[in-house]
């Protein structure tokens, strides 16, 4: 299939698909005309990429992680490499720390807002 069809089937823009290709996440064949030729398996690969992006991983991290995840019978991503779980735990912990920092920031803003409202 061509890039437009992959875009329609996945809901991902052609620009994003080219970006994924630039980073080695997709490897379409090239026809003699120069057009990209994607396989049906690329639809699932794009879905995995989108799930990993939504999980907070960067493209650089996804490059490392993508070969180590597979779809289970329910269509969920599961790790296929033991070392992947340790990396995902680290990523989850980083996200948890960021959430804690954002909650502290929100708390500080709440104090400032409350003080202004009492003064007003």
């Amino acid at each position: 299939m061509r890039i437009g069809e992959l875009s329609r089937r996945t809901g991902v823009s052609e620009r994003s698909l080219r970006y994924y290709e630039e980073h080695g996440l997709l490897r379409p064949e090239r026809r003699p005309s120069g057009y990209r030729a994607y396989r049906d398996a690329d639809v699932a690969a794009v879905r995995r990429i989108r799930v990993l992006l939504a999980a907070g991983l960067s493209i650089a991290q996804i490059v490392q992680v993508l070969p180590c995840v597979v779809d289970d019978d329910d269509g969920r991503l599961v790790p296929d490499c033991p070392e992947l779980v340790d990396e995902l735990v680290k990523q989850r912990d980083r996200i948890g720390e960021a959430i804690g920092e954002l909650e502290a920031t929100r708390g500080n803003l709440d104090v400032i807002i409350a003080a202004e409202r009492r003064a007003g």
Side-chain angles (χ1 to χ4, degrees):
M1 84 187 82
R2 290 180 46 187
I3 194 167
E5 176 65 17
L6 182 61
S7 175
R8 281 187 291 283
R9 288 180 62 182
T10 60
V12 175
S13 71
E14 291 181 20
R15 182 177 180 192
S16 291
L17 295 172
R18 286 187 202 97
Y19 182 74
Y20 300 161
E21 181 184 350
E22 286 174 25
H23 287 86
L25 296 171
L26 296 174
R27 292 183 178 87
E29 294 178 23
R30 287 289 185 158
R31 295 187 176 159
S33 62
Y35 288 115
R36 294 167 175 86
Y38 293 94
R39 302 172 316 270
D40 286 335
D42 291 324
V43 173
V46 170
R47 188 190 71 77
R48 285 186 210 104
I49 292 165
R50 300 303 288 182
V51 168
L52 293 168
L53 283 168
L57 276 67
S58 69
I59 289 292
Q61 290 169 316
I62 293 171
V63 167
Q64 296 173 352
V65 167
L66 193 60
C68 290
V69 293
V70 295
D71 295 315
D72 70 5
D73 293 337
D74 295 324
R76 291 178 298 215
L77 295 185
V78 294
D80 195 36
C81 305
E83 65 277 6
L84 175 61
V85 175
D86 292 336
E87 288 303 312
L88 293 176
V89 167
K90 289 177 188 174
Q91 177 67 11
R92 186 199 57 206
D93 292 347
R94 281 191 293 271
I95 291 169
E97 289 172 14
I99 289 170
E101 291 172 9
L102 287 169
E103 288 175 339
T105 300
R106 181 180 57 199
N108 290 334
L109 286 171
D110 287 343
V111 168
I112 294 167
I113 291 167
E116 195 318 279
R117 288 186 176 156
R118 282 192 304 270

